[in-house]
Amino acid sequence: MTGIKDKKSARMRKAVYCCVLSLLFVLAAPLIPYVIDAHAEDVTSSKANKPVALQHPGINLWNDVRQRNEVTQGSSQVKGVDSGILINKTGEDWRRFRMEMLMPYGAYFMAAIVTAIVLFFLLRGKLRLPGGRSGELVCRFTLNQRTAHWFAVGIFWLLGITGLILLYGRFVLIPLLGADGFSITASACKEMHNLIGPLFLLAVLALLVLYIKDNFFNRDDITWITKGGGMFGGHVSAARFNAGEKTWFWLVMIFGFLLCITGLILDFSVFGQGREIMALSHVIHGISALILITVSFGHIYLGTIGVEGTLEGMTTGYVDANWAKSHHDLWYEEMSATAEEQQGIKQSVASSSTKPASSPAGD
Amino acid sequence: MARMKFYCDAERCIECNGCVTACKNENEVPWGVNRRRVVTIKDGEPGERSLSVACMHCSDAPCAAVCPVDCFYTTDDGIVLHDKDTCIGCGYCFYACPFGAPQFPSSVAFASRGKMDKCTFCAGGPEETHSADEFTKYGSNRIAEGKLPLCAEMCSTKALLAGDADVLSDIYRKRVINRGASVLNWGVQYKKAGIDG
């Protein structure tokens, strides 16, 4: 009997142990994820230095939407350029460029050049003709060349001023004109800029055709540049155009054509160009425009009040022989050699008059 | 003060374009202009999702920052609006906006841009509330009537929500909890849903 009793009590004991164990297991069950988690953390931290092993479940979707991995092109029932793209980040880059770089640095750049020119003028004054006027006139620019130049000048400043108003007007002109007044001004500027803009291509093409012949750099330009263009005194030889003028010509060509190409992309927005292309075009357009505007200050200074006797070459077409000898001696010698055939040199009767007696045949 | 926001739930949007139609009808938006659009990514692939997008009424709105005539303003409810009388149609807001919200009617001479049009959160514009001028230029002003934008009100699956940001985030938080995206089984439900495929 005792044997049976022992067997029974042993079974009871086993049952109690099982109950206690299963109770313990049930109680401890909620801790299991933490144990696994702690274990997983151990494994990951020992394998690599990645503190987080789990990704956000929607990470692929939102990475695609935010264009983080590559440009994800979705689709939309609304047809239009870029309508399948939810988020385009280039706009923010463009905003930063325009507001934090183009506007402040453009203004600094222009102010620096203007200050430098004013300082130079105060120090050196107007560069007078050595030996005064000779009364002898030399044909410098043909009517075609002058027309192309002034056509380009007109278009350039029309576009330059309207463009600068659109760039800086919000901060400079709204306080002066008020919101409504500036809106009308800006609207007129935008329309004029967009309508007149394509004509600048014609102006740049005309300048290219009419002026390229004498604007190729050669060995004389190196000496001209090393002597600083005679800015610090001393005489420097130059042909029809000196290295400075040639540089200005090529700047106008390079940035002028860049302005035209990007301007046409921005102006005619109906050819399916997206925001990236437009924003990039605007960046190139803005930089090119500010470079040409600032450098043109120097060109205008030297062509008007900076150097005596220069402006009349572009208005009447003729310059004084002393001006030619002083600034473009190589060209003057060349002209004198072929003076008779070209009728380039005119002897005026009265030395006080600078007007030519009659137009040359080539005009 | 309320901070008005749109929220589109990618788990609920079924690309029915009801919001687009509602917006066009309510505001009588001109041809070629869509203030709201539905974009589907991974169309026909596992993990396909659709989202309805319009002006997000940003706090630091890029359009307002770059506008050369400063025609944007933010209402007390945080709605970004603009003045079409001041707008010159330069397109800068279109370059700056990440969502492609600003729209330009192209029925002007030489196909140049007309005055910009965008989602107003159905809050009209600077004209006198409920005037004919306001409706012609900006569409309806439901906010003044105490109503929310029609696109969200019409949404059949309630994917598109509009209203006070605090209320919207509460609604969305409850949805996320109900979907079972708790910390312990993070990702499991989303994997089943194929979003992480």
Side-chain angles (χ1 to χ4, degrees), chain A residues 30 33-34 37 52 54-62 64-65 72-79 81-92 94-95 98-99 165-167 169-171 174 179-180 182-184 186-188 190-191 194-195 266-270 273-275 278-279 282, chain B residues 7-8 10-11 15 17 20 34 36-43 47-49 51-53 60-70 83 85-101 106 108 110-115 172 181 183-184 186-187 190-191 195-197:
Chain A
Y34 295 101
D37 227 31
V52 179
L54 281 171
Q55 279 190 328
H56 185 279
I59 193 151
N60 288 343
L61 173 73
W62 298 115
D64 285 349
V65 167
T72 307
Q73 181 80 43
S75 59
S76 179
Q77 295 295 312
V78 170
K79 295 301 167 212
V81 181
D82 288 350
S83 70
I85 290 185
L86 274 166
I87 294 179
N88 187 329
K89 291 186 296 178
T90 52
E92 189 60 17
W94 176 76
R95 171 190 171 178
R98 182 174 183 269
M99 309 306 287
I165 286 173
L166 288 173
L167 185 60
R170 175 171 172 177
F171 302 100
I174 286 182
D180 290 339
F182 180 65
S183 171
I184 295 162
S187 185
K190 176 226 159 191
E191 297 300 340
N194 283 359
L195 291 173
L266 291 165
D267 200 353
F268 299 97
S269 54
V270 290
Q273 59 268 51
R275 276 171 281 170
M278 300 255 239
H282 184 273
Chain B
Y7 188 85
C8 185
E11 300 301 298
E15 201 204 348
N17 281 288
V20 179
N34 284 283
R36 179 168 281 288
R37 68 188 195 280
V38 178
V39 177
T40 305
I41 62 171
K42 294 185 182 171
D43 196 4
E48 171 187 323
R49 287 295 180 279
L51 282 164
S52 175
V53 66
D60 173 22
C63 51
V66 298
C67 179
V69 291
D70 201 9
D83 189 340
D85 294 337
T86 314
C87 172
I88 59 168
C90 67
Y92 287 0
C93 49
F94 170 69
Y95 306 156
C97 176
F99 308 106
S106 55
V108 193
F110 300 105
S112 73
R113 295 186 186 95
K115 291 184 187 296
Y172 191 63
V183 179
L184 285 177
W186 198 6
Y190 279 90
K191 278 202 172 95
I195 199 172
D196 202 25

Side-chain angles (χ1 to χ4, degrees), chain A residues 144-156 159 195-211 249 252-253 256-261 264:
Chain A
N144 284 342
Q145 286 174 328
R146 279 178 284 148
T147 310
H149 176 264
W150 291 113
F151 178 62
V153 168
I155 304 268
F156 181 80
L159 296 175
L195 291 173
I196 308 285
L199 289 177
F200 191 56
L201 184 61
L202 289 181
V204 179
L205 279 172
L207 291 178
L208 175 73
V209 171
L210 292 168
Y211 284 91
F249 172 81
V252 170
M253 288 305 121
F257 277 115
L258 279 177
L259 278 167
C260 291
I261 295 162
L264 289 172

Side-chain angles (χ1 to χ4, degrees), chain A residues 107-250:
Chain A
Y108 297 152
F109 194 31
M110 283 191 287
I113 296 282
V114 169
T115 315
I117 290 170
V118 169
L119 283 177
F120 187 79
F121 183 70
L122 292 175
L123 283 172
R124 295 289 303 267
K126 191 170 188 165
L127 201 61
R128 297 279 167 198
L129 274 178
R133 291 180 184 273
S134 65
E136 187 188 342
L137 293 176
V138 184
C139 176
R140 179 138 172 90
F141 296 113
T142 66
L143 183 64
N144 284 342
Q145 286 174 328
R146 279 178 284 148
T147 310
H149 176 264
W150 291 113
F151 178 62
V153 168
I155 304 268
F156 181 80
W157 281 110
L158 216 54
L159 296 175
I161 289 168
T162 53
L164 286 174
I165 286 173
L166 288 173
L167 185 60
Y168 292 109
R170 175 171 172 177
F171 302 100
V172 179
L173 291 180
I174 286 182
L176 296 174
L177 303 174
D180 290 339
F182 180 65
S183 171
I184 295 162
T185 315
S187 185
C189 286
K190 176 226 159 191
E191 297 300 340
M192 193 175 280
H193 202 92
N194 283 359
L195 291 173
I196 308 285
L199 289 177
F200 191 56
L201 184 61
L202 289 181
V204 179
L205 279 172
L207 291 178
L208 175 73
V209 171
L210 292 168
Y211 284 91
I212 195 170
K213 189 172 147 279
D214 300 303
N215 271 302
F216 291 108
F217 285 100
N218 57 35
R219 209 164 281 167
D220 298 331
D221 297 319
I222 298 166
T223 43
W224 190 91
I225 290 165
T226 49
K227 285 184 181 176
M231 204 159 68
F232 312 105
H235 180 259
V236 203
S237 290
R240 183 158 181 229
F241 297 118
N242 62 39
E245 288 167 311
K246 287 176 185 177
T247 310
W248 170 235
F249 172 81
W250 289 110

Side-chain angles (χ1 to χ4, degrees), chain B residues 68-85:
Chain B
V69 291
D70 201 9
C71 79
F72 290 88
Y73 63 99
T74 306
T75 68
D76 293 340
D77 291 330
I79 300 167
V80 177
L81 297 177
H82 72 296
D83 189 340
K84 282 194 183 184
D85 294 337

